[in-house]
Amino acid sequence: MKNTRVSPLSSHGAAATVDREKAWLKILSTYRQPHIGRSTFELTATLVPFVLLWAGAWACLHFGYWLGVVLIVPVAAGFLLRLFMLQHDCGHGSFFGRRSLDDWTGRMISVLTLTPYDYWRRAHAVHHASAGNLDERGVGDITTLTVAEYDALTPGGRVRYRLYRHPLVMFGIGPAWLFLFKQRLPFGMMRSGALPWVSTMATNVAIAALSGILIWAVGVAPFLLIHLPIVLLAGAAGVWLFYVQHQFEDTHWSRPPEWTFQYAAMHGASHYDLPQPLRWITGNIGMHHLHHLSSRVPFYRLPEVIRDHPELGDMGRITIRQSLGLVKLVLWDEASHRLISFREAHARETVARSALPTPA
């Protein structure tokens, strides 16, 4: 994958580079104003089809039309994923542009996405503030070790990290654990005051109430046969998107004072260039470098930025085909400033050992 950078580090120095990224930040600030009518339409065009698809899946199941269920559930999962993207914009205050309206919209959506809004919003804010900072990992990120950190692990620690980074765990077991269990308690913020607890517990109560109503209406088995696959598919797709947005070969990680917010935003997040239908269902989240630089730009205005400034479309660009090879990149190599695979790390370790002098 070629990561074309508009303003790479050069002989002009890091200061000039940061100035260039700040200039892009100023340009993006002109796109920050949401359109209330457009936002209302996007919410309606996502929520109503999701409800109808859920009801359609139940109707198919009720009449024994299993093929209908199999065909409808993945589409419903796509709309649930899109609801999460709307909740995501609410968390940044960029959906309606009114804090109270965004917050209550996000809280209502969170009952469907199983993601406590205020708890998630706080963790996600930390992610945005520290993305790409090697000294500030751990909140809202996919755990990424450096080669040196991995080499320093015990054999058991290496096994645990390998299991964590295995695709079956990352995109299968992981999303199920995250959305069904982990987010039922404010892990990581259990000592951060009342808000994470209130958000999580209130969301749990609302989820239980809505689930109870649906179970009463359709039955336990139909509810689980329909809703559980929708949640798991949407969760897996969401984790995959988040993975691709930051786990690519030429991403950016560094430590202060080299680390700067603007540079890490533009070069530590990718442009996942998806076909138009997938851009719509994912809320343009693939334009992640733009989102990280200016998170207050509404998702539906991000294409305007690339339309007006096409050079930004080439930065960190990843196609679907290229993204399939990213799962093997698991360790940050501070020497070459790129993500590498376990195999490459092992090969380097072997070469280093063979270069050592042989004992007499």
Side-chain angles (χ1 to χ4, degrees):
M1 184 201 71
K2 183 180 179 181
N3 183 20
T4 305
R5 300 186 175 185
V6 176
S7 54
L9 291 171
S10 66
S11 58
H12 296 290
T17 300
V18 172
D19 287 343
R20 183 60 185 269
E21 309 310 336
K22 288 181 178 179
W24 281 121
L25 178 60
K26 185 176 181 180
I27 290 171
L28 263 65
S29 69
T30 62
Y31 297 85
R32 291 173 58 172
Q33 184 61 41
H35 305 302
I36 303 300
R38 175 68 183 274
S39 298
T40 302
F41 169 78
E42 295 292 349
L43 179 59
T44 305
T46 309
L47 181 59
V48 172
F50 173 73
V51 173
L52 293 177
L53 286 164
W54 206 103
W58 172 78
C60 289
L61 187 63
H62 180 72
F63 291 106
Y65 186 44
W66 281 94
L67 180 59
V69 178
V70 172
L71 294 176
I72 291 175
V73 162
V75 181
F79 277 87
L80 182 60
L81 174 65
R82 195 170 200 267
L83 281 170
F84 181 83
M85 298 310 170
L86 304 192
Q87 176 184 333
H88 169 265
D89 262 30
C90 288
H92 287 292
S94 61
F95 192 56
F96 288 112
R98 300 176 183 176
R99 186 75 268 175
S100 179
L101 183 56
D102 276 333
D103 285 345
W104 282 107
T105 302
R107 288 168 186 143
M108 289 187 290
I109 296 174
S110 73
V111 180
L112 297 175
T113 63
L114 308 185
T115 304
Y117 173 77
D118 295 283
Y119 157 64
W120 171 86
R121 182 165 69 93
R122 183 176 292 186
H124 193 64
V126 174
H127 162 69
H128 266 260
S130 60
N133 189 334
L134 285 171
D135 290 343
E136 298 290 341
R137 288 169 287 171
V139 178
D141 296 318
I142 290 173
T143 301
T144 304
L145 298 182
T146 66
V147 173
E149 289 168 343
Y150 178 76
D151 288 342
L153 291 176
T154 64
R158 292 191 180 192
V159 170
R160 286 191 294 273
Y161 186 68
R162 282 178 173 269
L163 286 174
Y164 169 77
R165 299 292 301 220
H166 192 281
L168 179 61
V169 175
M170 183 66 66
F171 309 113
I173 299 173
W177 161 250
L178 174 64
F179 288 98
L180 296 179
F181 301 105
K182 184 179 179 182
Q183 292 187 153
R184 307 286 62 83
L185 287 173
F187 285 104
M189 294 189 181
M190 301 182 83
R191 297 182 180 179
S192 299
L195 184 59
W197 283 96
V198 172
S199 173
T200 304
M201 296 302 112
T203 304
N204 290 343
V205 170
I207 291 170
L210 180 59
S211 299
I213 293 171
L214 289 172
I215 290 171
W216 173 80
V218 306
V220 176
F223 172 77
L224 293 177
L225 287 171
I226 295 170
H227 200 60
L228 192 59
I230 289 175
V231 168
L232 294 179
L233 286 173
V239 172
W240 169 255
L241 287 170
F242 187 74
Y243 186 95
V244 172
Q245 289 155 7
H246 294 283
Q247 301 285 314
F248 58 102
E249 184 176 3
D250 294 318
T251 187
H252 176 77
W253 288 88
S254 60
R255 303 180 192 275
E258 179 188 353
W259 181 89
T260 65
F261 169 81
Q262 292 86 0
Y263 191 86
M266 290 291 275
H267 304 292
S270 67
H271 174 203
Y272 196 18
D273 196 0
L274 298 169
Q276 184 57 43
L278 292 181
R279 289 183 196 174
W280 188 87
I281 207 70
T282 60
N284 296 319
I285 199 66
M287 302 175 187
H288 211 59
H289 58 317
L290 306 181
H291 169 67
H292 260 265
L293 185 62
S294 186
S295 61
R296 292 296 298 275
V297 176
F299 76 92
Y300 50 78
R301 299 202 65 183
L302 291 173
E304 295 179 37
V305 178
I306 290 183
R307 180 200 65 196
D308 296 342
H309 306 280
E311 61 269 40
L312 292 174
D314 293 329
M315 296 183 63
R317 181 177 176 271
I318 299 171
T319 64
I320 292 179
R321 182 177 180 181
Q322 290 170 332
S323 71
L324 300 179
L326 299 183
V327 294
K328 66 182 180 181
L329 304 177
V330 292
L331 296 169
W332 178 252
D333 181 18
E334 293 187 85
S336 63
H337 302 288
R338 62 189 183 91
L339 279 176
I340 65 174
S341 64
F342 286 125
R343 178 177 295 181
E344 184 174 350
H346 178 71
R348 290 187 180 188
E349 185 178 13
T350 301
V351 170
R353 287 178 179 177
S354 64
L356 293 175
T358 303

